[in-house]
Amino acid sequence: MNGKDLIRKLEETYPKSYAEPWDNPGLQAGRSEKEIRKVYIALDANEEAIEGAIAKGADLLLTHHPLLMSGIKRVAEEDLAGHRLIRLIANDVTSYAMHTNYDIVTMAPLASEILGLTDAEILAETGSDPQTGESIGFGRIGKLPAKMTLEACAKLVKEKFGLETVKIWGSPETLVERAAISPGSGKSMIADALAKKAQVLISGDFGHHEGLDAADQGLCIIDAGHYGLEHIFIEHMAGYFQEHFPEIQVEKAPLHHPFQVI
């Protein structure tokens, strides 16, 4: 499939207009007109993903996080961004990202479904769909499958998302039922979770003070890591391509957490 046609179809499902103003989804590097026969799907456009795409002979590196989030003044081998761009372009691999637009359309409801939330609604509204007028936004809040302790909820998160460890703020014995989940970095979701009477917020990238302050306000925190919740992008988009673009061969980056707890 021609890359331009593929991008157009992707953006029909994941409109760039849904993305946050600070975000940079879309074509990151390479030729939009390139014929796409094989796609390599990863969460980040880091060295491992770029080398994986090259090794697999991929025409397209599809990632959740954009390769470029701000302007650069030069493309040079000795700079990290420059090195990555050179590797992609030299090997004729096109790079494309779907970030906060994907979060809103799929990541939030998918994470909610995996966790088993019922009566789920948007956690943080960002606007409305111009076609339907329906609200759009980040995260979901709803009811857990049953009332449970914070410790049991943490174990449920580990099981459903394939994680070895999570961090919690709040007493492990606290009973929780109304839960908010927001894959990625969740510090900015604390106020929304409190406003919507969540008893626990499941997300990533919480700092010491954010966790303490949330717990002091009656909101337990489960920090499952940024990668820990968002890696679902890889498997979902692999299935999406197999369903909508069966002529394109799919390769997936292996599940590989970016840090180890020793």
Side-chain angles (χ1 to χ4, degrees):
M1 175 179 285
N2 182 275
K4 201 167 188 177
D5 294 333
L6 175 60
I7 289 171
R8 177 177 54 80
K9 289 180 180 294
L10 287 174
E11 292 179 359
E12 287 175 358
T13 303
Y14 300 100
K16 288 170 66 177
S17 60
Y18 279 22
E20 290 290 275
W22 50 263
D23 198 8
N24 186 39
L27 183 66
Q28 303 290 299
R31 299 186 292 121
S32 62
E33 294 283 359
K34 179 179 172 64
E35 191 69 17
I36 306 299
R37 297 183 177 88
K38 183 184 288 189
V39 59
Y40 189 88
I41 304 175
L43 192 70
D44 298 285
N46 59 359
E47 295 290 309
E48 183 179 24
I50 291 170
E51 295 307 320
I54 293 169
K56 293 292 186 179
D59 303 295
L60 173 68
L61 171 61
L62 177 71
T63 63
H64 179 49
H65 296 129
L67 171 66
L68 301 171
M69 286 296 291
S70 58
I72 59 174
K73 293 185 176 181
R74 68 175 191 169
V75 178
E77 175 64 32
E78 56 265 35
D79 299 334
L80 181 59
H83 170 74
R84 290 172 174 174
L85 287 167
I86 289 168
R87 288 294 291 156
L88 287 165
I89 293 169
N91 288 276
D92 198 17
V93 178
T94 297
S95 175
Y96 185 87
M98 304 186 307
H99 193 205
T100 51
N101 49 333
Y102 179 88
D103 287 333
I104 286 172
V105 175
T106 294
M107 188 79 85
L110 179 60
S112 172
E113 180 183 334
I114 291 172
L115 188 60
L117 295 185
T118 57
D119 302 323
E121 59 183 270
I122 295 170
L123 176 60
E125 293 186 9
T126 59
S128 61
D129 183 282
Q131 304 298 323
T132 66
E134 294 180 358
S135 295
I136 60 173
F138 296 113
R140 290 294 184 269
I141 182 166
K143 292 178 66 176
L144 290 164
K147 184 177 288 188
M148 61 186 72
T149 64
L150 176 62
E151 182 177 7
C153 185
K155 290 178 179 178
L156 178 66
V157 171
K158 288 166 62 178
E159 174 194 343
K160 295 296 187 180
F161 291 89
L163 308 176
E164 293 188 4
T165 62
V166 297
K167 293 192 294 185
I168 66 171
W169 278 268
S171 170
E173 291 77 33
T174 301
L175 290 175
V176 295
E177 184 176 25
R178 186 162 170 80
I181 186 165
S182 184
S185 183
K187 292 181 287 188
S188 63
M189 297 295 156
I190 290 175
D192 295 287
L194 286 167
K196 295 200 171 180
K197 309 298 182 186
Q199 296 164 310
V200 58
L201 171 60
I202 303 154
S203 189
D205 294 350
F206 292 97
H208 173 77
H209 295 291
E210 290 89 12
L212 288 178
D213 292 349
D216 279 350
Q217 295 176 85
L219 177 66
C220 297
I221 297 291
I222 297 176
D223 188 332
H226 201 121
Y227 185 94
L229 297 181
E230 287 196 332
H231 70 76
I232 60 177
F233 168 86
I234 299 170
E235 195 65 40
H236 172 261
M237 285 308 300
Y240 182 90
F241 264 74
Q242 287 161 359
E243 178 182 355
H244 295 278
F245 312 110
E247 71 276 20
I248 297 177
Q249 186 178 346
V250 174
E251 297 282 354
K252 297 180 293 183
L255 186 63
H256 181 68
H257 293 271
F259 63 88
Q260 305 297 317
V261 178
I262 298 175

